[in-house]
Amino acid sequence: MDLERRNEELEELYLLEACFPEAEKLKRDSRLLSKWKHYIQCDGSPDPSISQEINTFISLWKEETNETFEAVAVKSKLVLKLIDKLKLILLETPSYDLQEKNIIQYQGSILELQELLHLKFNIATEILLRQASTLADLDSGNMEKVIRDENVTLYVWANLKKNPRYRSIRFSETQIGFEIPRILATSDIALRLLHTHYDHVTPLGPVATASQEHTSTATYFGKDEVKSVEAAVSKDLQEEYKEQENESNSVHEEETKVDEQGGIEGQTSSVQEEPEATKYELEMKLLSETVSAAQLLLLENAPEKPYFSEENEVDLCQFTALGGVHHLDILELPPQCKPRKGWMIVEILKEGLQKYTYPPETAEDFGTENTFPPIEVMLEVHENVIFFENPMVARWDAEGKHWKTDGISNVSYKSEDRLITFSLETFGPVTLIQDAHVNMPYQSWELRPLDVNKVLLTVTTVFTEIQIQIKENLCMLASIKLNNKKHSSILEEKWMTPVSFIIALKEAGLNIFPTGHSHFYVVINYKLPLVEVKAYRQMALLSSAFAFGWSKWNTVCDSNKVVFQVREHLPKEEPIQNPNWTLLMFSGDRAQSLKINESSDAFSEALKEETEFHSTLYHMVKDFASKEAMKKIRCSNCQFVDSVCHMLLSTRLLSYS
């Protein structure tokens, strides 16, 4: 392959890959537009990214008193939206657009909202328990209450009769309950299970900033080059933000000038066009390099496995908490409301809701250890979460600020009833955990065009087959199969942005998204990150007209090469029973069609007859592609190509299959 043709091919690829910085620019414009939309909405909700607005919201809510549990549950919907919005800002905004002070501000607001929401639920529980005597069940004489909402469910039982034989507690129309020891059955206590369908207990993860990413980026792009790119991009973006913010105010003035000065404006515009065009080209070039560096960082493997000083501490790089958090509490029963001459009199304790210590810190006066046995707990697993293996139970260690698996025994799980039973030594927040890599490595995968700017990504694992549709800047769960049977999910038919979609799939237990630490827990087929990035970018560019598939030979070739199957697939085509795939090998700077196929006996890098080497995948497939296919590729939507690339980078199909 001569040098002149190589340069021509790389130049053409560079022009095609201009869609990536263009898509990034559109995402940035969209973020600015969302701020403006929120401003003109005037719906009374604060913009969580503006500290003054969110602080005012928090202060005003703190002043509200005597809110019922139902009222807090309704308010929690807005609070959770604000928290999710802040989390998305941190995840979706590129590191070069995020300043450290903004990260501290957003994370601080998230923590404050989380703490206030939980405090409000505690106060509402206390208000409810003060009325326990008036809400007592006629048969048992005790109070039992279940309050269900979209994001939270409260189960509360107040021990009013203190009957030593009443030790088995089951909440009506559920399998949820407790088996309590005699000492609790005769005490002034209440049992509360507050199931939050979200997790506000696990600490927030670190957010990478441009300065933290600098070292990794420099490894591949050169330190001096990265410094100049980051500085220039940062300055350029800041200028553009100011321009865009002022643009809406100056539109009317500009229109007036055009009307008044018509000819003069026309004469000066030609002079200004050239500098403007040059500025745009420079911005796109800098943005292109920064986007490439950011994509490369998505594939960077952590150099060291996390270290844990405490035994039984849950490694959150290996496991993931699913189904929210079950806050289990034994509470001291507050003074009850008493009717007096048409009034309800109640003593309000200054210290508020108090927890009952079980077992007590000093148990000398109570005799044997059997007086304080573990409490048996029965929980229902959240219906929207999939466990591929029996879930494990973890408890929150408030002192160490981490999840632990000690103090939990006799765990049993009935998968048909989705019921888990276990014994707990001390009450506190509890969650169910699953191996985050249960669906890795993948068994196979396929990326296939469906329509104009629309593809279907199928990932097959040991337990499941997941199909994901991608169009423009959105993703959707098309279908899930468990043990070759279709499984319905609440996420199906819901279009989301790639980042939101990945979060939703992970929270549902469908994790096919490796992290920087995943290679410590999964046997992977390691490929050089730079080769992977180039392959995914070019596969995304071709995805409008070409199908790509898994190849067994990818595990055999060197780490600096990837092998996969490819074939032209126009959306209007009827499904083919035995499609004719071409086997391609790509090293990042050289692509070739292999002589072997999937059914060959041994691997060989021999070039297929009547084919030649190329510098890019685009020019490789161009040799056997139809004119219609190449036209579709050149007309692909930049946001669509970017979304496909993001999903390929997030699943890492070439390393984790």
Side-chain angles (χ1 to χ4, degrees), residues 10 530-531 534-535 538 560 562 586-591 615-616:
L10 292 175
L530 196 57
V531 175
K534 287 184 177 181
Q538 294 181 42
N560 59 349
V562 292
F586 183 56
S587 65
D589 53 13
R590 190 168 81 162
S615 298
T616 73

Side-chain angles (χ1 to χ4, degrees), residues 353-370:
L353 198 64
Q354 294 295 299
K355 290 188 179 181
Y356 180 93
T357 307
Y358 179 90
E361 293 173 0
T362 55
E364 296 172 5
D365 300 333
F366 295 93
T368 63
E369 291 180 8
N370 293 331

Side-chain angles (χ1 to χ4, degrees), residues 427-439:
F427 267 28
V430 163
T431 192
L432 305 181
I433 59 173
Q434 177 173 255
D435 184 351
H437 307 95
V438 69
N439 283 309

Side-chain angles (χ1 to χ4, degrees), residues 492-534:
E492 287 181 72
E493 307 302 319
K494 288 185 178 179
W495 290 99
M496 291 176 259
T497 60
V499 173
S500 299
F501 178 75
I502 290 169
I503 293 169
L505 244 62
K506 284 182 174 181
E507 288 177 349
L510 298 167
N511 185 18
I512 51 169
F513 307 102
T515 66
H517 290 93
S518 293
H519 63 286
F520 291 115
Y521 312 103
V522 183
V523 177
I524 69 166
N525 177 28
Y526 177 75
K527 300 295 177 183
L528 290 178
L530 196 57
V531 175
E532 265 195 278
V533 168
K534 287 184 177 181

Side-chain angles (χ1 to χ4, degrees), residues 89-144:
I89 290 171
L90 290 170
L91 287 170
E92 289 187 332
T93 309
S95 58
Y96 51 80
D97 279 352
L98 268 180
Q99 293 183 5
E100 200 160 339
K101 66 175 184 179
N102 294 126
I103 295 171
I104 293 166
Q105 176 199 318
Y106 298 157
Q107 290 190 330
S109 297
I110 290 169
L111 291 172
E112 208 169 343
L113 287 167
Q114 289 177 347
E115 288 167 7
L116 181 57
L117 180 59
H118 194 67
L119 175 65
K120 287 285 185 179
F121 278 131
N122 283 344
I123 294 169
T125 304
E126 183 187 1
I127 292 169
L128 181 65
L129 285 173
R130 285 186 208 141
Q131 307 166 44
S133 56
T134 61
L135 299 170
D137 180 69
L138 294 174
D139 295 329
S140 66
N142 296 317
M143 185 269 256
E144 176 196 304

Side-chain angles (χ1 to χ4, degrees), residues 284-297:
M284 287 295 105
K285 184 176 185 295
L286 295 171
L287 196 53
S288 176
E289 291 175 21
T290 311
V291 167
S292 299
Q295 290 174 338
L296 193 59
L297 284 162

